[in-house]
Amino acid sequence: MMFTFGLAFFQLMIMATADCSPKLDNAVVEDLLTMLVKYKGGADFKNTRNWRYIPAFTASLSYTKNINDKEIVKFEKVWTNNGNHYDPNTGIFIASREGLYHVSTTVMSVEGKTVYANIWQNETRTVGLYPGTGYSEATANIVLHLKKGDKLTVRGGDSNHSYLYSSEGHYIMFSAYLIA
C-alpha cells in the first residue's frame, strides 16, 4: 500500500514539474506533501514538521580568540535560536527534548598558528577538528542522540594550539537542530 502511494506521489510530482510554473509547482508539491503527512498520520509527526517546534540554532564568532584547553567557545552572534535553547553568554546549547540532532561546527586557524577544537556532549568529547596552520578551516558534522537536558558545546582541544581566527566575516560557527 505504501509503495503504491509512493509511486503515485512520485508520478504526481513529475507531472507537476513538467507542466507547471514555479509558483504553481511549489503549491502542488506542498499540497502533495501535506497529503502524505495526513496519510502517514500521527500528531507527533505533524508537530515535529512545524518549524516552530523544532529546537534549532546557529551562532558564529565575529572576532579572533585564543582559547584554553577545554574552554567553551562562546559564539556571540546568534543567527537562529528557535526556542532560545542556545545561550551566547555561556556557549551552551541545551536539548529541550530527546531526539536525534544534527550538530555542526567550523573553525579557522590564525595565520602561522594552529587550532584544535572538539564538539562536546555534556562532559564527553565527540569529534575533533584540526584545520592546520594559518587561515585553514575545518568543519565537523555529527548526528547525536540527545536526551532532554543534554548540553552541547565547542571547546578548545589543546592549550598550545588554540588560536581561532574570525572577524565580521564569521568564519567560525556552531549549529544544531532536531532531525527526528
Side-chain angles (χ1 to χ4, degrees):
M1 176 76 167
M2 188 62 177
F3 175 76
T4 304
F5 183 78
L7 188 58
F9 179 75
F10 180 71
Q11 284 293 343
L12 287 170
M13 284 192 60
I14 290 173
M15 290 186 315
T17 57
D19 299 323
C20 295
S21 71
K23 273 190 169 179
L24 182 57
D25 181 33
N26 289 341
V28 170
V29 171
E30 286 176 14
D31 289 344
L32 291 170
L33 288 172
T34 301
M35 287 173 32
L36 180 61
V37 168
K38 286 180 183 175
Y39 175 79
K40 190 140 172 98
D44 188 47
F45 180 77
K46 290 178 199 170
N47 286 338
T48 59
R49 294 297 158 223
N50 187 336
W51 68 269
R52 289 181 204 96
Y53 303 107
I54 298 173
F57 84 96
T58 297
S60 60
L61 191 64
S62 60
Y63 56 89
T64 297
K65 179 163 180 51
N66 186 16
I67 54 172
N68 296 316
D69 187 29
K70 298 181 185 169
E71 178 183 345
I72 297 173
V73 180
K74 298 170 187 161
F75 298 84
E76 91 292 350
K77 171 60 177 160
V78 178
W79 300 92
T80 301
N81 198 2
N82 241 18
N84 293 316
H85 303 294
Y86 174 74
D87 183 352
N89 297 312
T90 63
I92 299 172
F93 171 78
I94 300 175
S96 62
R97 63 187 202 201
E98 183 172 4
L100 294 176
Y101 287 77
H102 177 264
V103 184
S104 178
T105 192
T106 298
V107 298
M108 186 177 201
S109 57
V110 172
E111 182 180 16
K113 304 287 185 178
T114 57
V115 64
Y116 293 97
N118 296 92
I119 296 174
W120 288 69
Q121 179 180 355
N122 298 316
E123 294 305 312
T124 303
R125 184 186 320 228
T126 64
V127 296
L129 298 98
Y130 172 65
T133 302
Y135 299 125
S136 296
E137 287 184 322
T139 298
N141 292 288
I142 187 170
V143 175
L144 293 171
H145 176 249
L146 301 181
K147 295 180 180 150
K148 183 177 181 176
D150 277 358
K151 297 175 182 176
L152 292 175
T153 55
V154 173
R155 301 182 191 186
D158 185 337
S159 60
N160 296 322
H161 300 90
S162 53
Y163 302 94
L164 295 171
Y165 174 79
S166 197
S167 68
E168 291 180 5
H170 302 282
Y171 298 105
I172 298 174
M173 57 76 57
F174 180 33
S175 67
Y177 57 92
L178 178 70
I179 56 176

